[in-house]
Amino acid sequence: MSTDIIAGKKIILGVTGCIAAYKSAFIIRELVKRKAEVKVVMTPSATEFITPLTLSTLSQNEVIVNTFPSSQKNGTSLSTWHIETALWADLMVIAPCTVNTVAKIAHGFADNALTTLVPALRCPLIISPAADVDMYNNKITQQNIKKLEDTGYYVLQAEEGELASGLRGKGRLPEVDKIIDAVELIVTGFKKDLSGKKILVTAGPTYEDIDPVRFIGNRSSGKMGFEIAKAAYIRGAEVTLISGPSNEVCYPEIKLLKIRSAEEMKKSVEQEFEQTDILIMSAAVADYKPVSASDKKIKKEDKLNSIKLEETADILASLDKKNKIAAGFALETDDELKNASHKLKKKNLDLIVLNSLKDKESGFEFDTNKITIIHKTGKTIELPLMSKFQAAHKILSEILECINS
Ligand code: CTP
């Protein structure tokens, strides 16, 4: 069973003329790898940066550059290609989108193949603007970007960083992963429905030190929490992510606070919690820690035969959640529903996400997850196996339901 929601989708990729146009090759490769059907439309200036041959080879389709293709001119085809292509698509993505094309779309121009296609679309459109810092921050550009957002297009804001000119600032095209995440979001039918919300997510394991070399940890990779943080950002939230040791990476706009132990996680959560609307505790926090950690490596000759442990504080249970939404996770091996419901009540949560270790391809080492979401009202939603990013969206949608009910 494919858990990839992009598979089979018909996607138009619009490419415009800026240095980031080379990244369009990677976007196409990822979409094709995930079994989407891709048609590419380029502006004439995009062809100065990357060739139509490259993009047509990768997309396995003819690339449209001319508003009047030769087949139309010589009469072999009378097709209105822009209408047909627009109606064919499930989604269009313009990445990178120059300030020139942003301005044209914002004002309804249709003076090349790409801008002619846009007003004919019936499907959603993702626009990912990219430019040098001053061009991007320019007032007129910003007004145009706002206009695109107000029109209902999904705008993926450019990122901060080093630019091709050598200047630093906002204007970089986001990494391919983030563009694909936005594609997933829109294909799934979600919008920026978390705008204005401050979300605090915890992820990963905690490590409780025994000595400078050893620790007590667990098998959590942090992936589920990172996917929740990314999904929340893509849906418009302001996100803080507190993570234990993990190799996962998140978007640069997410405030990432790295901690190690349960105690450090507690401190960090308490500092952030006041300015938070929604807390999602997906971290696998250690329940026990060594009473004291040795500051020197414990040697074999020390003949250590036990480690004295004490309980860590329960972070989630100890917070005052008045006027906040709080969600927890429960990883169970037996009596799953009963145990999860018990934790929901005991920790005074709005919902709890149950993971059963009995489910295949679900949990620690996998990119997929099979979860059951239990509301405090008792409403229970058992979901099939899906990617952790998709699961993250389902959790966020249920949280939105808590807010709206
Ligand atoms: N949690 C927490 N602080 C802890 C332990 C857990 O905030 N010291 C949170 C987890 O982040 C999770 C929820 O509580 O959201 C449930 O965690 P879990 O380990 O499943 O439950 P415990 O209460 O620790 O119970 P047990 O380990 O006995 O199943």
Side-chain angles (χ1 to χ4, degrees):
M1 182 190 69
S2 168
T3 55
D4 199 328
I5 48 161
I6 296 178
K9 295 292 173 201
K10 299 184 176 84
I11 299 174
I12 306 170
L13 179 70
V15 185
T16 70
C18 82
I19 183 60
Y22 80 91
K23 287 193 188 170
S24 62
F26 298 97
I27 300 171
I28 298 168
R29 208 173 58 168
E30 190 58 31
L31 291 172
V32 170
K33 198 170 95 193
R34 294 175 65 165
K35 303 207 164 28
E37 252 186 89
V38 184
K39 287 188 180 173
V40 179
V41 185
M42 300 173 82
T43 61
S45 54
T47 64
E48 301 284 336
F49 291 91
I50 188 159
T51 70
L53 179 63
T54 306
L55 301 193
S56 110
T57 308
L58 289 169
S59 66
Q60 298 149 24
N61 265 316
E62 197 181 333
V63 169
I64 303 163
V65 182
N66 296 311
T67 317
F68 303 101
S70 50
S71 57
Q72 211 172 37
K73 276 192 197 158
N74 65 25
T76 54
S77 161
L78 295 174
S79 69
T80 44
W81 70 264
H82 59 304
I83 304 298
E84 277 166 21
T85 310
L87 295 181
W88 167 86
D90 294 312
L91 171 72
M92 179 166 179
V93 185
I94 307 178
C97 189
T98 58
V99 297
N100 184 37
T101 299
V102 163
K104 285 183 189 179
I105 297 173
H107 292 88
F109 283 82
D111 64 346
N112 61 35
L114 190 153
T115 52
T116 302
L117 191 52
V118 169
L121 294 173
R122 286 189 185 174
C123 65
L125 172 61
I126 297 174
I127 298 174
S128 190
D132 213 83
V133 55
D134 297 311
M135 294 173 79
Y136 190 81
N137 287 337
N138 175 278
K139 259 194 190 154
I140 293 174
T141 303
Q142 287 304 311
Q143 283 164 8
N144 288 336
I145 289 177
K146 178 148 191 319
K147 204 163 169 195
L148 296 179
E149 277 183 316
D150 293 344
T151 308
Y153 297 139
Y154 184 99
V155 175
L156 197 53
Q157 293 288 333
E159 287 181 1
E160 299 258 347
E162 192 164 338
L163 301 161
S165 62
L167 296 176
R168 281 192 73 82
K170 205 168 176 182
R172 276 169 64 96
L173 188 75
E175 292 306 322
V176 174
D177 277 359
K178 197 202 264 178
I179 295 170
I180 301 293
D181 286 349
V183 168
E184 270 205 26
L185 173 86
I186 303 296
V187 163
T188 324
F190 294 120
K191 298 203 171 73
K192 285 191 175 174
D193 49 6
L194 288 168
S195 293
K197 295 277 180 275
K198 289 187 176 156
I199 302 196
L200 178 60
V201 184
T202 66
T206 62
Y207 286 176
E208 311 304 324
D209 288 337
I210 297 169
D211 71 8
V213 184
R214 293 111 173 170
F215 57 85
I216 298 172
N218 61 63
R219 287 166 55 198
S220 168
S221 64
K223 174 103 182 163
M224 192 64 236
F226 274 69
E227 295 300 284
I228 294 171
K230 290 197 282 185
Y233 172 80
I234 285 274
R235 282 166 81 162
E238 196 182 310
V239 185
T240 300
L241 174 61
I242 302 174
S243 173
S246 165
N247 294 324
E248 294 295 319
V249 281
C250 67
Y251 308 148
E253 296 90 346
I254 293 173
K255 179 174 162 191
L256 175 64
L257 304 169
K258 287 270 198 178
I259 55 86
R260 183 172 169 85
S261 64
E263 206 172 312
E264 283 171 14
M265 180 165 281
K266 183 167 189 284
K267 247 190 230 155
S268 194
V269 168
E270 283 169 355
Q271 266 164 20
E272 297 294 324
F273 191 58
E274 208 182 298
Q275 56 272 15
T276 293
D277 302 310
I278 301 163
L279 168 69
I280 307 172
M281 270 306 283
S282 79
V285 187
D287 288 331
Y288 292 94
K289 62 172 185 169
V291 170
S292 62
S294 166
D295 52 6
K296 285 198 195 87
K297 185 182 175 195
I298 301 169
K299 304 295 285 176
K300 212 184 284 177
E301 304 86 74
D302 295 336
K303 299 287 175 213
L304 181 75
N305 56 18
S306 67
I307 299 168
K308 198 153 186 261
L309 300 175
E310 65 183 354
E311 252 185 75
T312 58
D314 190 314
I315 306 169
L316 197 46
S318 67
L319 294 164
D320 175 7
K321 305 173 198 76
K322 210 166 139 216
N323 300 327
K324 316 241 184 216
I325 297 288
F329 271 67
L331 180 73
E332 306 293 340
T333 53
D334 306 282
D335 286 333
E336 291 93 331
L337 277 172
K338 194 170 141 243
N339 282 335
S341 304
H342 177 67
K343 279 178 197 171
L344 172 88
K345 283 198 192 81
K346 201 174 80 183
K347 302 192 190 214
N348 186 22
L349 306 175
D350 293 281
L351 64 80
I352 196 154
V353 181
L354 165 65
N355 256 144
S356 170
L357 265 192
K358 282 183 188 152
D359 289 319
K360 287 197 184 90
E361 293 181 65
S362 187
F364 291 133
E365 276 105 15
F366 296 99
D367 287 341
T368 47
N369 212 355
K370 187 173 178 318
I371 56 168
T372 300
I373 302 172
I374 309 165
H375 284 260
K376 70 173 174 202
T377 55
K379 183 182 163 195
T380 301
I381 303 141
E382 199 184 328
L383 293 162
L385 188 72
M386 56 181 69
S387 75
K388 284 189 172 167
F389 191 63
Q390 272 177 276
H393 280 301
K394 298 282 183 195
I395 295 165
L396 292 172
S397 295
E398 292 307 315
I399 285 175
L400 264 174
E401 203 183 293
C402 296
I403 297 172
N404 299 329
S405 65

